[in-house]
Amino acid sequence: MTIQLPAPDHTGADKKSKRSPAKTLLPWLVLAAWIGLLVGGFSLAGKLDSVTRDGQADYLPASAQSTKVLQAEAGLPGGENGLLVILYERPGGLDPGDREAVVSGQAELAERLGTDAEVSPEIVQSDDGTSLMYTASLGGEAVAEEAGATADARTALTGHPDGLDVYVTGPTALGADMDEVFDAVDSTLLLATAVVVALLLIVTYRSPLLWLVPLVSVGAAAIASMGVVYALTQMFDFTITSMSSALLIVLVFGAGTDYALLLVARYREELHRHERPIDAMLAALRGAGPAILASAATVVAGLLCLLVADLNSISSLGPVGAAGIGAALAVMLTLFPALLVLLGRRIFWPFVPRVGDEVRASGSRWARLGELVARRRVIGWVAPLVVLGGLALGTVGVNSALPQLEQFARSTPDSVTGAKLIEDRYPDQGGQPLTVMSRPDNSREVLAAVESTSGVASAEIGRAGADWVEISAMPVDPAESAGETATIKDLRENVREVAGEDALVGGSSAEKLDEAETNKSDRNLVMPLILLVVLAILGLLLRAVVAPLVLVATVVVSYFGALGLCNLVFDHVFGFAGMESSVPLIGFLFLVALGVDYNIFLMSRVREEAARHGTVEGTKRALATTGGVITSAGVVLAATFVVLASLPLVMLVEIGVLVAVGVLIDTLLVRSIVVPALTMSLGSRIWWPSRLWRAEQDRVDDRA
């Protein structure tokens, strides 16, 4: 089969275009407008870091008890409380002079931290005689600037005897080390993503010049998106975290490059028909623009579904991601085409498309694949779905509660090493303190309820303010263990019976528990909503009922196959302690929305070809025409998400790997084989009840 483009008839169209100076000026006007916008947007983009927040309350659900505890603590004398735990360890056993060195370190630390800290005079020795430990409570500016307080503590404790190791750990130090990792995320990710995209574009286009145009355009989209997000934070009350900022960069580069690949493929096609690049580009925009627009609308609609989530870090990702996709769409449908037109055909050198050249698809692997799928239609969709169903079994027993001490992917910070040593050396004191907030008039009753709770080793009243009294409770079990989780739940029930809503239980472990439970409820709410929205958009685009249901079903199967495979990889290959609780929902959003994208690109072309050649022949032609470019787009998108795996946080590594694996499964298997096989198996029924279905039925009746 040879797909031959119609002979170009550019005599009338091109003569008419020559008489239209507005058409000639249009690319220059678009370029000038974008230069002005980017000059203004660059200053806004630079301010995005100033509004990025990574405090615990910025990730926790607004309605959770642990969030309310953080808010109540901020109103106590000294503000929010912080805690550093100082651990000295000599693995072979303490020397006689080690305690004196610890006492000297206590005094130096107290002097260094000043009046905002209270260094405990009590030094606790481990039962095995290898370690000494004390604590420092922080308030005021010291806890507000936890990175500075942690750094000061580490600087103050550098002088100690050889062989005696010192670790600064505790909730404040853990937060400071996490902030340090987040601070380096954006710059590292931006550079790595740009390099990966550039290399893939060079390989894809095999041109020394063409790859620069989409890369520059996507860079402009990234600047524009960051400026838009900053402006949105000034107009609306939503949180932007380092996680959402990192995903913004990946989304803009991935989606923007996809749009560029699809548009360039159609533009190259049209250059065989039209003499003038401006006419070819306008035809390409008319042909590919609706599918690109529908693709972007699907992703934006899916992202905005996150607004109903209760978890702050998830709900804030919605508007951030939507702004990024909107910026990528605007740039790639305006600035990018303008640059291509102004640079002319020579930008494709050495493979310059000529007017009248024949476009042959019969020899391509995609044409051959289409013929093979047509002959083995049932096997083409049954076998892959069985394989994906088997992979989905890997989701059984998935642990979606990643411990706080296991959040770092490669290097282990000082605070994590120290916390693990405390769990080992002090088995009865390895837990994190829980914070109970009570109203002043019933604080004694609440304290009694806390002390009587099974699993609480000790409890005492701490700071008191006009509205709240702080009670510190030390659990018996290690942090985030099943025993401590049961203690938190029992503690909340016991204090509620005494004081109702006027008693709250928080602390590090309670925060992780609230985060995991909220993620579970958000999944149950957001996932069905995303499916409904995507179904509605597909229904409007394809003007059918069966096709959207088939496409969404294949994407869902692809998601669960990828999730099961990645769960096994995370456990047995990477050695992660679990899957971070937000990863399944974020992965579902991206894989459903982005997976449907490629089906939109394919099925839009199938519908176009089916109207002229019938569904079976139209599917083969569409696969031969779009297979290469859609696969390239999928590989580029997967590669941009894989860049997240270079970061030192397990959460971002898991998101990146899950989305990359899912996109590759969807691109190479589902969209290339399963969807064409199902479409050809169903025939005209795939378009029911649209006009196209009725037209094909009429053709069948006429032949009969």
Side-chain angles (χ1 to χ4, degrees), residues 8 15 76 108 253 273 326 340 390 408 448 516 534 576 617 662 687:
K15 286 179 180 178
L76 292 176
E108 191 168 347
F253 270 84
R273 297 188 177 98
L340 286 176
F408 297 90
V534 169
F576 293 157
E617 184 64 23
W687 309 114

Side-chain angles (χ1 to χ4, degrees), residues 9-52:
D9 182 14
H10 44 269
T11 55
D14 289 345
K15 286 179 180 178
K16 184 177 180 181
S17 68
K18 291 176 183 178
R19 296 194 298 267
S20 176
K23 189 182 289 188
T24 303
L25 289 174
L26 182 60
W28 292 105
L29 294 174
V30 170
L31 179 60
W34 270 109
I35 289 174
L37 288 172
L38 290 173
V39 169
F42 192 80
S43 62
L44 293 180
K47 298 178 181 179
L48 186 60
D49 282 344
S50 66
V51 296
T52 301

Side-chain angles (χ1 to χ4, degrees), residues 440-456:
D441 56 354
N442 54 13
S443 60
R444 290 297 172 184
E445 292 82 356
V446 172
L447 175 62
V450 172
E451 291 175 328
S452 65
T453 301
S454 176
V456 174

Side-chain angles (χ1 to χ4, degrees), residues 501-582:
E501 301 299 321
D502 288 337
L504 307 167
V505 177
S508 298
S509 296
E511 291 163 4
K512 293 293 292 183
L513 174 62
D514 288 339
E515 185 179 345
E517 291 183 343
T518 306
N519 264 309
K520 183 178 180 180
S521 64
D522 283 347
R523 287 197 297 270
N524 294 337
L525 174 64
V526 177
M527 284 183 174
L529 183 60
I530 291 173
L531 291 178
L532 289 174
V533 168
V534 169
L535 273 173
I537 292 176
L538 284 174
L540 292 172
L541 177 67
L542 300 176
R543 297 184 289 280
V545 172
V546 175
L549 290 172
V550 169
L551 296 180
V552 169
T554 60
V555 172
V556 170
V557 172
S558 175
Y559 163 74
F560 281 107
L563 184 65
L565 176 60
C566 287
N567 183 45
L568 297 175
V569 170
F570 295 154
D571 185 15
H572 299 292
V573 179
F574 291 173
F576 293 157
M579 188 178 293
E580 207 278 337
S581 57
S582 63

Side-chain angles (χ1 to χ4, degrees), residues 76 438-440 464-469:
L76 292 176
S438 168
R439 296 297 183 183
D467 298 319
W468 294 99
V469 172

Side-chain angles (χ1 to χ4, degrees), residues 382-395:
V382 170
L385 291 182
V386 169
V387 172
L388 291 174
L391 290 176
L393 295 176
T395 60

Side-chain angles (χ1 to χ4, degrees), residues 85-100 102-103 106 120-135 164 421-422 424-430:
V85 180
I86 316 301
L87 175 72
Y88 288 81
E89 187 213 25
R90 188 181 292 276
L94 295 169
D95 287 349
D98 287 344
R99 180 173 287 272
E100 287 74 10
V102 173
V103 172
Q106 274 182 313
S120 171
E122 182 182 6
I123 299 174
V124 182
Q125 181 171 320
S126 62
D127 291 339
D128 62 1
T130 62
S131 306
L132 296 168
M133 177 180 67
Y134 63 90
T135 62
L164 182 65
L421 282 172
I422 290 174
D424 183 47
R425 300 291 188 260
Y426 300 85
D428 57 340
Q429 299 183 49

